[in-house]
Amino acid sequence: MTPDQRAFLDRLGPWRILRDLGWGISDQEVLLVEAGGPKTVKCGGEANRHLHREIDAHTGPLRHFSATPALVAADRGAKILVLEHVPGTLADHAEPCPGHAEEAGALLAELHDLVPPDTDTTLDEKLTASALRWLSKPTGFDDGLIRRARAVLEHHEAIPLEVTFCHGDYSPRNWLIGERLIVLDFGRSGMRPPSYDFLQLLTHPWWPTIATDFLRGYGASLDLDSLRIQRIREAVTIGAWAHRAGQVDFHRRAQSELSALL
């Protein structure tokens, strides 16, 4: 926590750290803090870009979404976000439950309706360029897989995309089970095609088990063929990130997904 972040908390009143809630794999601290009641405090490091997105989400679209922790305070310059703490168990740490899957689907549909849809004429090209940049870094993938992925991406013709507000990392690791289902961690949120929020789900081991219930809650079917280029880009991005971060399970899932798609 930086001096500016401590000063921001000081202005809110007396506080003390109760527990570290972070993963320890990024330049972001997540702390359970006592400050007139339990609060979740997120602090970003100098290079952190995710916290700006999360602050923008909580001060923007999420003001109209009740299934996420309530905003207490935030400072974009100091990169600090304070939320009401919600007790519960991450869904990823529990057994798959049809009721929770259907509720998660319904909440995703609600998220996608928070902002009117728009058309983005440059996003498709930007996402492909980003994936190609990740491929130029160490990925942990074999050379043949890298060559095939690069060939597909380089030959992809960008098209305008209909976009709306998306979570960006929608999966059981960001669903909190308590009195009701709560959606956490909007650090990858932004305006993207609604299908983007299925990319992490499709590689999750639970997907075959929860798909029917989730899609019932969401209220729409899923055309996997239309997601191919998005899935390739996401597998490249997650795989390269996981290789750099030493996240073996994420890398394994991304490599399996990429191999199946290519």
Side-chain angles (χ1 to χ4, degrees):
M1 192 182 296
T2 68
D4 285 348
Q5 290 162 350
R6 288 183 174 275
F8 180 80
L9 285 179
D10 288 340
R11 290 194 292 272
L12 299 181
W15 61 276
R16 60 188 177 92
I17 296 173
L18 299 176
R19 193 164 76 247
D20 187 341
L21 302 176
W23 287 17
I25 58 173
S26 68
D27 63 340
Q28 178 170 288
E29 291 181 283
V30 184
L31 304 168
L32 176 60
V33 169
E34 171 58 42
K39 304 290 189 293
T40 299
V41 177
K42 295 190 172 187
C43 303
E46 185 177 347
N48 186 287
R49 294 182 299 172
H50 289 85
L51 200 60
H52 280 166
R53 297 191 193 109
E54 188 152 19
I55 290 172
D56 289 346
H58 278 280
T59 56
L62 294 181
R63 291 177 300 169
H64 309 291
F65 183 66
S66 63
T68 196
L71 173 68
V72 176
D75 188 317
R76 216 171 179 276
K79 291 187 178 179
I80 184 169
L81 172 67
V82 183
L83 303 170
E84 292 290 352
H85 181 71
V86 180
T89 302
L90 290 178
D92 224 14
H93 298 164
E95 290 296 320
C97 170
H100 293 148
E102 187 167 348
E103 188 175 5
L107 289 176
L108 183 60
E110 186 179 338
L111 275 173
H112 288 166
D113 283 339
L114 289 178
V115 175
D118 195 3
T119 299
D120 192 318
T121 60
T122 63
L123 179 61
D124 199 23
E125 182 179 3
K126 289 176 181 176
L127 290 173
T128 299
S130 176
L132 284 168
R133 286 195 297 272
W134 278 108
L135 274 182
S136 68
K137 304 173 183 179
T139 63
F141 299 143
D142 66 67
D143 290 344
L145 193 59
I146 292 172
R147 282 195 300 271
R148 294 197 298 277
R150 181 175 285 115
V152 170
L153 293 172
E154 287 177 344
H155 286 86
H156 173 64
E157 294 186 9
I159 59 173
L161 297 174
E162 184 176 279
V163 297
T164 191
F165 179 73
C166 287
H167 180 279
D169 191 10
Y170 203 76
S171 78
R173 66 178 171 271
N174 287 321
W175 307 340
L176 187 72
I177 301 171
E179 294 182 0
R180 59 178 298 197
L181 199 71
I182 294 292
V183 183
L184 304 174
D185 193 1
F186 286 81
R188 295 188 74 197
S189 61
M191 297 294 287
R192 299 188 185 91
S195 54
Y196 191 90
D197 274 332
F198 286 89
L199 300 182
Q200 294 301 309
L201 280 168
L202 292 173
T203 63
H204 196 283
W206 286 7
W207 180 246
T209 304
I210 70 172
T212 298
D213 298 301
F214 186 93
L215 291 172
R216 183 187 303 115
Y218 187 70
S221 60
L222 195 60
D223 179 7
L224 293 180
D225 289 340
S226 68
L227 296 182
R228 183 171 181 262
I229 191 66
Q230 292 187 56
R231 294 171 70 184
I232 289 172
R233 290 187 300 220
E234 186 73 356
V236 165
T237 300
I238 295 298
W241 166 84
H243 179 69
R244 184 180 66 183
Q247 295 295 302
V248 176
D249 184 54
F250 282 103
H251 189 272
R252 177 186 55 78
R253 290 188 202 177
Q255 182 167 267
S256 177
E257 171 87 339
L258 196 57
S259 297
L261 291 166
L262 296 175

